[in-house]
Amino acid sequence: MADVQTLNSIRVNASNNPLSIEEQRKMHAYWRAANYLSVGQIYLFANPLLREPLKIDHVKPRLLGHWGTTPGLNFIYVHFNRLIRKLGLNCIYIAGPGHGGPGLVANTYLEGSYTEFYPNITQDEEGMRRLFKQFK
Protein backbone atom coordinates (compact mmCIF):
# COMPACT_ATOMS: atom_id res chain seq x y z
CA MET A 1 0.00 0.00 0.00
CA ALA A 2 1.30 3.46 -0.88
CA ASP A 3 2.19 5.73 2.00
CA VAL A 4 0.94 9.32 2.38
CA GLN A 5 4.20 10.81 1.12
CA THR A 6 4.03 8.76 -2.08
CA LEU A 7 0.39 9.73 -2.65
CA ASN A 8 1.21 13.40 -2.11
CA SER A 9 4.11 13.09 -4.58
CA ILE A 10 1.73 11.64 -7.17
CA ARG A 11 -0.73 14.50 -6.62
CA VAL A 12 1.99 17.16 -6.94
CA ASN A 13 3.50 15.58 -10.05
CA ALA A 14 0.12 15.10 -11.68
CA SER A 15 -1.02 18.67 -11.03
CA ASN A 16 2.29 20.41 -11.81
CA ASN A 17 3.15 18.41 -14.91
CA PRO A 18 0.14 18.12 -17.21
CA LEU A 19 0.36 15.75 -20.13
CA SER A 20 1.93 17.10 -23.27
CA ILE A 21 -0.07 17.03 -26.49
CA GLU A 22 2.14 14.15 -27.71
CA GLU A 23 1.58 12.15 -24.50
CA GLN A 24 -2.16 12.72 -24.81
CA ARG A 25 -2.10 11.60 -28.45
CA LYS A 26 -0.16 8.42 -27.68
CA MET A 27 -2.27 7.51 -24.66
CA HIS A 28 -5.50 8.10 -26.55
CA ALA A 29 -4.26 5.94 -29.45
CA TYR A 30 -3.30 3.19 -27.01
CA TRP A 31 -6.69 3.42 -25.28
CA ARG A 32 -8.51 3.19 -28.63
CA ALA A 33 -6.41 0.17 -29.63
CA ALA A 34 -7.16 -1.55 -26.31
CA ASN A 35 -10.86 -0.81 -26.75
CA TYR A 36 -10.83 -2.23 -30.29
CA LEU A 37 -9.06 -5.40 -29.15
CA SER A 38 -11.59 -5.72 -26.34
CA VAL A 39 -14.56 -5.33 -28.68
CA GLY A 40 -13.02 -7.88 -31.01
CA GLN A 41 -12.73 -10.43 -28.23
CA ILE A 42 -16.34 -9.91 -27.22
CA TYR A 43 -17.99 -9.71 -30.64
CA LEU A 44 -15.76 -10.91 -33.49
CA PHE A 45 -15.09 -14.46 -34.58
CA ALA A 46 -13.12 -13.57 -37.72
CA ASN A 47 -11.97 -10.62 -39.86
CA PRO A 48 -10.01 -8.94 -37.02
CA LEU A 49 -8.73 -6.02 -39.12
CA LEU A 50 -12.02 -5.60 -40.99
CA ARG A 51 -10.30 -6.10 -44.34
CA GLU A 52 -13.65 -7.05 -45.82
CA PRO A 53 -17.14 -5.75 -45.10
CA LEU A 54 -18.48 -7.13 -41.83
CA LYS A 55 -20.71 -10.19 -42.25
CA ILE A 56 -22.86 -12.10 -39.81
CA ASP A 57 -20.36 -14.98 -40.10
CA HIS A 58 -17.72 -12.74 -38.50
CA VAL A 59 -19.83 -12.08 -35.40
CA LYS A 60 -19.93 -14.52 -32.50
CA PRO A 61 -23.28 -16.22 -31.91
CA ARG A 62 -22.80 -15.98 -28.13
CA LEU A 63 -21.03 -13.06 -26.52
CA LEU A 64 -18.49 -13.49 -23.73
CA GLY A 65 -17.54 -10.44 -21.72
CA HIS A 66 -19.23 -7.16 -21.13
CA TRP A 67 -18.50 -3.96 -23.03
CA GLY A 68 -19.83 -1.73 -20.23
CA THR A 69 -16.87 -2.30 -17.91
CA THR A 70 -14.15 -2.46 -20.53
CA PRO A 71 -13.47 1.16 -21.55
CA GLY A 72 -13.12 2.15 -17.89
CA LEU A 73 -10.69 -0.67 -17.16
CA ASN A 74 -8.69 0.26 -20.26
CA PHE A 75 -8.68 3.93 -19.22
CA ILE A 76 -7.38 3.10 -15.76
CA TYR A 77 -4.75 0.75 -17.24
CA VAL A 78 -3.24 3.31 -19.61
CA HIS A 79 -3.21 6.15 -17.08
CA PHE A 80 -2.00 4.08 -14.16
CA ASN A 81 0.71 2.51 -16.32
CA ARG A 82 1.92 6.02 -17.22
CA LEU A 83 2.19 6.92 -13.53
CA ILE A 84 3.99 3.67 -12.70
CA ARG A 85 6.56 4.32 -15.43
CA LYS A 86 6.92 8.07 -14.92
CA LEU A 87 7.24 8.00 -11.13
CA GLY A 88 8.96 4.62 -10.86
CA LEU A 89 6.21 3.29 -8.63
CA ASN A 90 6.52 -0.24 -7.30
CA CYS A 91 2.91 -1.31 -7.68
CA ILE A 92 0.59 -3.41 -9.78
CA TYR A 93 -2.89 -2.97 -11.22
CA ILE A 94 -5.15 -5.78 -10.05
CA ALA A 95 -8.67 -6.29 -11.35
CA GLY A 96 -10.92 -9.12 -10.33
CA PRO A 97 -12.23 -11.77 -12.69
CA GLY A 98 -15.41 -11.06 -14.55
CA HIS A 99 -16.88 -9.48 -17.61
CA GLY A 100 -14.03 -6.94 -17.93
CA GLY A 101 -11.52 -9.69 -18.77
CA PRO A 102 -11.25 -8.73 -22.45
CA GLY A 103 -9.96 -5.29 -21.41
CA LEU A 104 -7.06 -6.63 -19.40
CA VAL A 105 -6.28 -9.24 -22.04
CA ALA A 106 -6.24 -6.48 -24.67
CA ASN A 107 -3.72 -4.43 -22.69
CA THR A 108 -1.42 -7.35 -22.03
CA TYR A 109 -1.65 -8.27 -25.72
CA LEU A 110 -0.68 -4.71 -26.71
CA GLU A 111 2.30 -4.65 -24.38
CA GLY A 112 3.44 -8.10 -25.55
CA SER A 113 3.24 -10.03 -22.28
CA TYR A 114 0.19 -12.03 -23.41
CA THR A 115 2.17 -13.39 -26.35
CA GLU A 116 5.05 -14.30 -24.02
CA PHE A 117 2.71 -16.63 -22.10
CA TYR A 118 0.69 -17.74 -25.14
CA PRO A 119 3.14 -17.80 -28.08
CA ASN A 120 0.45 -18.95 -30.53
CA ILE A 121 -1.34 -15.59 -30.01
CA THR A 122 1.15 -13.66 -32.14
CA GLN A 123 1.43 -9.92 -32.69
CA ASP A 124 -0.02 -9.99 -36.21
CA GLU A 125 -3.36 -10.40 -37.97
CA GLU A 126 -3.44 -14.17 -37.50
CA GLY A 127 -2.63 -13.75 -33.80
CA MET A 128 -5.46 -11.23 -33.46
CA ARG A 129 -7.83 -13.69 -35.13
CA ARG A 130 -6.79 -16.36 -32.63
CA LEU A 131 -7.13 -13.90 -29.75
CA PHE A 132 -10.68 -13.02 -30.81
CA LYS A 133 -11.70 -16.57 -31.64
CA GLN A 134 -10.52 -18.16 -28.38
CA PHE A 135 -13.20 -16.39 -26.34
CA LYS A 136 -16.37 -18.21 -27.30
Side-chain angles (χ1 to χ4, degrees):
M1 170 146 309
D3 60 26
V4 173
Q5 185 176 5
T6 302
L7 293 174
N8 285 333
S9 173
I10 291 170
R11 282 188 204 103
V12 168
N13 278 303
S15 62
N16 292 340
N17 299 312
L19 292 172
S20 70
I21 298 299
E22 183 61 13
E23 285 176 307
Q24 289 177 43
R25 185 193 66 74
K26 287 179 179 178
M27 290 176 68
H28 193 243
Y30 184 97
W31 185 62
R32 288 189 325 265
N35 284 336
Y36 180 77
L37 289 168
S38 301
V39 166
Q41 291 173 77
I42 296 168
Y43 295 100
L44 290 179
F45 194 67
N47 194 17
L49 295 178
L50 301 176
R51 294 194 188 273
E52 58 182 277
L54 197 57
K55 299 175 188 168
I56 194 70
D57 295 348
H58 300 149
V59 179
K60 294 178 178 177
R62 179 177 167 264
L63 305 180
L64 183 61
H66 191 290
W67 173 246
T69 61
T70 303
L73 291 169
N74 290 340
F75 184 85
I76 291 168
Y77 195 99
V78 70
H79 283 276
F80 196 46
N81 200 36
R82 180 186 67 85
L83 289 173
I84 290 169
R85 294 172 54 96
K86 185 174 185 172
L87 302 176
L89 300 177
N90 184 17
C91 56
I92 186 171
Y93 173 28
I94 298 176
H99 293 298
L104 296 178
V105 169
N107 282 282
T108 57
Y109 178 79
L110 279 173
E111 68 186 24
S113 57
Y114 195 88
T115 301
E116 288 179 28
F117 284 97
Y118 304 101
N120 65 318
I121 308 297
T122 50
Q123 298 280 308
D124 55 16
E125 186 172 1
E126 181 58 25
M128 281 179 67
R129 187 191 63 73
R130 287 187 192 119
L131 180 74
F132 291 178
K133 190 174 182 178
Q134 74 183 353
F135 293 97
K136 47 183 167 165

